[in-house]
Amino acid sequence: MSLENWEDVIDRDWPDQGPVTSETVRAIQYHAQRYGGTMREATGRVWTNEAYEARRKKVLSTPLP
């Protein structure tokens, strides 16, 4: 196995993780003990892409006082 020099990889973009779906949330909950993370992740309180977009639309359509 050949490791790359850290200077060559430090400025690379993160790989695309894809959308967060309800299946992703279930996988996060199932593997919570193994990977640690926050309590929100362990208990499944994670925004899915659909829920986030719905909330975003609602907030952006709310008129300011």
Side-chain angles (χ1 to χ4, degrees):
M1 183 169 126
S2 172
L3 295 178
E4 296 181 53
N5 186 357
W6 71 271
E7 294 167 335
D8 296 334
V9 298
I10 195 73
D11 290 327
R12 285 189 194 165
D13 290 335
W14 287 93
D16 183 29
Q17 299 296 314
V20 177
T21 62
S22 57
E23 182 61 34
T24 308
V25 174
R26 281 193 293 274
I28 291 169
Q29 285 180 289
Y30 182 75
H31 297 289
Q33 293 289 331
R34 179 182 293 176
Y35 298 111
T38 66
M39 183 60 69
R40 288 179 54 78
E41 294 167 346
T43 57
R45 291 181 286 171
V46 180
W47 288 92
T48 62
N49 284 18
E50 293 172 357
Y52 174 78
E53 287 301 323
R55 176 70 176 159
R56 183 176 181 270
K57 278 185 176 181
K58 180 181 176 187
V59 168
L60 289 176
S61 67
T62 303
L64 295 174

